[in-house]
Amino acid sequence: GAGVSQSPSNKVTEKGKDVELRCDPISGHTALYWYRQRLGQGLEFLIYFQGNSAPDKSGLPSDRFSAERTGESVSTLTIQRTQQEDSAVYLCASSFGTGGTYEQYFGPGTRLTVT
Amino acid sequence: SQQGEEDPQALSIQEGENATMNCSYKTSINNLQWYRQNSGRGLVHLILIRSNEREKHSGRLRVTLDTSKKSSSLLITASRAADTASYFCATRSISGGSNYKLTFGKGTLLTVNP
């Protein structure tokens, strides 16, 4: 079966513009995660979705960031009024469940460059 | 905030040698996982070790966990050029409300020279 897919793979945008990043999780995976990875750094947790429960948005860095997920399918991460510090790779992951030992499967990421 | 801290930050070895990377963390964990990342893109899960385990093997990988020292090590034996990548440890908290979160370190960049 297909893995986690993300689009676009690369996005260059001007400062102040809005961008929308898309994630298609593995079919049947109820949990979906967004992470941000700045150059040379580890992954920062942004947001988590589990089924129809309220998402955990505790990692979103500002109110310019938002994300949605429809049921257990596609998720979109939206960044409004982009700033240069938003430049990073945005990674999406999904897992079958959220118990302690469920593996997260990662997509290839979207590399966002804000000029 | 980053819980895991890997060291060294960068490691360069010759093909055939063993590579050892270490990870330290701060809070109590449910499990610790190691991931590999090629060329700054998607991560691939390598191995998971639970908090009640001390050592685990998978192919050429050996992971140890010392919960008293809050540290883990990843050993790659008989390294190959294809092992060149960044390696991250990630911890899963035991906190019931947020035990789904993985907290990643900054990674070790491993270069295996042919």
Side-chain angles (χ1 to χ4, degrees), chain B residues 79-100:
Chain B
S79 64
R80 306 165 182 168
D83 294 330
T84 295
S86 290
Y87 291 82
F88 294 89
C89 69
T91 55
R92 191 183 289 271
S93 169
I94 62 172
S95 299
S98 60
N99 68 348
Y100 49 81

Side-chain angles (χ1 to χ4, degrees), chain A residues 11-67:
Chain A
K11 176 71 176 179
V12 180
T13 190
E14 292 180 353
K15 178 182 173 181
K17 295 284 180 70
D18 297 352
V19 295
E20 191 172 277
L21 313 180
R22 177 186 168 110
C23 172
D24 283 86
I26 293 172
S27 178
H29 280 194
T30 59
L32 187 147
Y33 313 76
W34 282 98
Y35 295 90
R36 178 173 70 179
Q37 184 180 28
R38 290 195 165 117
L39 185 65
Q41 301 295 310
L43 277 68
E44 301 172 69
F45 168 80
L46 295 178
I47 189 169
Y48 156 80
F49 296 91
Q50 168 58 30
N52 294 317
S53 302
D56 176 355
K57 304 179 182 180
S58 61
L60 295 178
S62 77
D63 59 8
R64 296 187 296 105
F65 287 72
S66 63

Side-chain angles (χ1 to χ4, degrees), chain B residues 8-94:
Chain B
Q9 291 186 344
L11 179 61
S12 182
I13 60 174
Q14 295 300 122
E15 209 166 24
E17 293 180 340
N18 296 341
T20 299
M21 290 160 271
N22 302 296
C23 168
S24 60
Y25 57 92
K26 297 174 184 173
T27 63
S28 296
I29 61 171
N30 176 291
N31 63 64
L32 185 145
Q33 305 177 30
W34 285 91
Y35 285 80
R36 184 179 78 185
Q37 184 179 41
N38 289 83
S39 303
R41 300 309 288 256
L43 276 72
V44 174
H45 182 265
L46 295 176
I47 195 166
L48 179 152
I49 186 164
R50 293 179 174 83
S51 60
N52 61 354
E53 297 176 312
R54 292 296 168 258
E55 187 171 312
K56 203 161 183 180
H57 297 252
S58 176
R60 293 183 297 113
L61 305 180
R62 172 177 170 256
V63 170
T64 62
L65 179 65
D66 187 336
T67 53
S68 67
K69 295 181 180 178
K70 291 187 166 57
S71 67
S72 172
S73 67
L74 170 67
L75 169 68
I76 304 175
T77 60
S79 64
R80 306 165 182 168
D83 294 330
T84 295
S86 290
Y87 291 82
F88 294 89
C89 69
T91 55
R92 191 183 289 271
S93 169
I94 62 172

